[in-house]
Amino acid sequence: MNIQENVSLKAYTTFGIDHKAEFFTIVQSVDEVVEALKKAEENHWKVFILGGGSNVLLTKDIQGLVIKLEIKGITLIKEEEDQVIVEVGAGEVWHDFVCFCIKNNWAGVENLSLIPGTVGASPMQNIGAYGVELKEVFHSLTAIHRTEYSSTRFEAEDCKFGYRESVFKNECKDQYVITSVTFKLRKTPHYHLEYGAIQEVLQQHGVVQPTLETVSKAVIEIRESKLPNPKILGNAGSFFKNPTLPTSEFEKLKLHYPQIPGYPTEEGIKVAAGWLIEQAGWKGRRTGQVGVHEKQALVLVNYGGGTGAEIKQLSVAIQNSIFEKFGISLTPEVNFI
Ligand code: FAD
Ligand code: EPU
């Protein structure tokens, strides 16, 4: 195993922030994961697991060992009459997996096209977009315990998936390395076209009968129209979660702000944080090398050379301002390190 010292993580996270890992290694198999974990234990190094770095904000150098997951492989486990069960290595790029499914006519992940990052990180926050969440196609996952080195299988109910939540962000935080994720995908599509502008875009392209490919293309087009490409402008997607309010609280706000967008959920009304941030005057605002994206106020950006501390400071200023104006606390979606 090749362990490097003092490695800049600038190219390994989508915010493009230049902090270093004291020690850094890339692992391509489950055995290498165990080897790296044992090495860290021997040397009393802290461990940090990195996928595609698209949901982390580095605010300092990382002391200890950064293990970057690059376990590859897509295996068809079982084919049934109406579904397939597919196991995917944690280091596969999420969007490559989506494209593989579309090519094979396996339905379920097309609305999740173009989400950056790896398959292994997808259960961490139960990734979601355009009316679909990972939990709807999730079958199970395999993870290695970080100090006992045993392999454990988690079924869907063990993962306690919620909106941008899972057991791995809570009770099991920092305890496991996810090495593979198994999906159940339909052979006959059941399209989710009701969310956002999907239907509108399909119509614009003259699509009468949607296919996995046309739906995926529509999602990509919508995403590209508002979300910055991290290769051009550093960001980590939505910086905050959309807050859920009790219905009564939402109704009170609606009296003052009749335009406020709200979506009913089982827990209450989910409010668009991007709208709140825009109303508070932050959209497109820039402070030095960091700022709020001009097309999507929920996305904080690094124009180049910005620091994690500056992004963090900006995020706190936004939180304070939203609390002052609307009495709503915004919770970051991004993982601070
Ligand atoms: P990383 O950023 O590397 O890691 C995220 C967290 O997971 C860290 O705490 C890390 O330690 C942990 N982790 C990573 N891999 C493993 C593993 N194998 N085992 C254990 N722990 C692990 N998210 C959405 O849900 N929906 C969207 O629509 C969406 N759009 C985005 C758009 C843009 C432009 C960007 C930049 C981000 C977007 N995101 C979105 C956020 C991000 O893409 C997802 O959270 C993604 O799943 C992160 O994957 P990653 O491999 O980059 O994880
Ligand atoms: N809005 C504004 N101003 C803005 C941004 C948004 O008024 O600057 C309003 C929009 O007009 C719309 C509403 O807010 O009425 C929702 O906006 P959008 O459809 O862009 O989605 P979002 O709620 O901002 C969420 C996810 C995204 C996901 C999209 C599509 C969260 C935190 N974010 O964004 O996920 O791609 O929906 O499903 O749930 C991510 O998690 O990183 C991410 C990008």
mmCIF file of all heavy atoms in Angstrom, residues 20 109 219 232 318 330:
data_model
loop_
_atom_site.group_PDB
_atom_site.id
_atom_site.type_symbol
_atom_site.label_atom_id
_atom_site.label_comp_id
_atom_site.label_asym_id
_atom_site.label_seq_id
_atom_site.Cartn_x
_atom_site.Cartn_y
_atom_site.Cartn_z
ATOM 1 N N LYS A 20 -4.339 20.148 3.443
ATOM 2 C CA LYS A 20 -3.533 18.935 3.243
ATOM 3 C C LYS A 20 -4.010 17.776 4.111
ATOM 4 O O LYS A 20 -4.568 17.978 5.186
ATOM 5 C CB LYS A 20 -2.084 19.230 3.602
ATOM 6 C CG LYS A 20 -1.364 20.111 2.602
ATOM 7 C CD LYS A 20 0.137 20.062 2.858
ATOM 8 C CE LYS A 20 0.908 20.737 1.751
ATOM 9 N NZ LYS A 20 0.657 22.200 1.694
ATOM 10 N N VAL A 109 -32.868 4.944 -11.268
ATOM 11 C CA VAL A 109 -31.892 5.967 -10.868
ATOM 12 C C VAL A 109 -31.796 7.122 -11.874
ATOM 13 O O VAL A 109 -31.001 8.038 -11.687
ATOM 14 C CB VAL A 109 -30.473 5.368 -10.637
ATOM 15 C CG1 VAL A 109 -30.430 4.579 -9.346
ATOM 16 C CG2 VAL A 109 -30.028 4.504 -11.801
ATOM 17 N N VAL A 219 -33.208 15.754 -16.888
ATOM 18 C CA VAL A 219 -32.690 16.068 -15.539
ATOM 19 C C VAL A 219 -31.332 16.764 -15.661
ATOM 20 O O VAL A 219 -31.077 17.781 -15.000
ATOM 21 C CB VAL A 219 -32.593 14.777 -14.677
ATOM 22 C CG1 VAL A 219 -31.782 15.011 -13.419
ATOM 23 C CG2 VAL A 219 -33.987 14.253 -14.332
ATOM 24 N N ILE A 232 -15.485 23.938 -12.893
ATOM 25 C CA ILE A 232 -15.297 25.342 -13.287
ATOM 26 C C ILE A 232 -15.397 26.260 -12.063
ATOM 27 O O ILE A 232 -14.632 27.201 -11.906
ATOM 28 C CB ILE A 232 -16.347 25.734 -14.353
ATOM 29 C CG1 ILE A 232 -16.117 24.859 -15.606
ATOM 30 C CG2 ILE A 232 -16.278 27.211 -14.709
ATOM 31 C CD1 ILE A 232 -17.240 24.887 -16.608
ATOM 32 N N ILE A 318 -25.176 33.650 6.748
ATOM 33 C CA ILE A 318 -26.462 33.349 6.087
ATOM 34 C C ILE A 318 -27.429 32.746 7.117
ATOM 35 O O ILE A 318 -28.594 33.152 7.197
ATOM 36 C CB ILE A 318 -26.248 32.388 4.895
ATOM 37 C CG1 ILE A 318 -25.484 33.109 3.779
ATOM 38 C CG2 ILE A 318 -27.576 31.830 4.381
ATOM 39 C CD1 ILE A 318 -25.028 32.220 2.632
ATOM 40 N N LEU A 330 -31.259 27.126 9.649
ATOM 41 C CA LEU A 330 -30.813 26.280 8.531
ATOM 42 C C LEU A 330 -29.727 25.329 9.022
ATOM 43 O O LEU A 330 -28.793 25.735 9.718
ATOM 44 C CB LEU A 330 -30.250 27.141 7.401
ATOM 45 C CG LEU A 330 -31.227 28.035 6.642
ATOM 46 C CD1 LEU A 330 -30.497 28.794 5.533
ATOM 47 C CD2 LEU A 330 -32.380 27.216 6.050
#
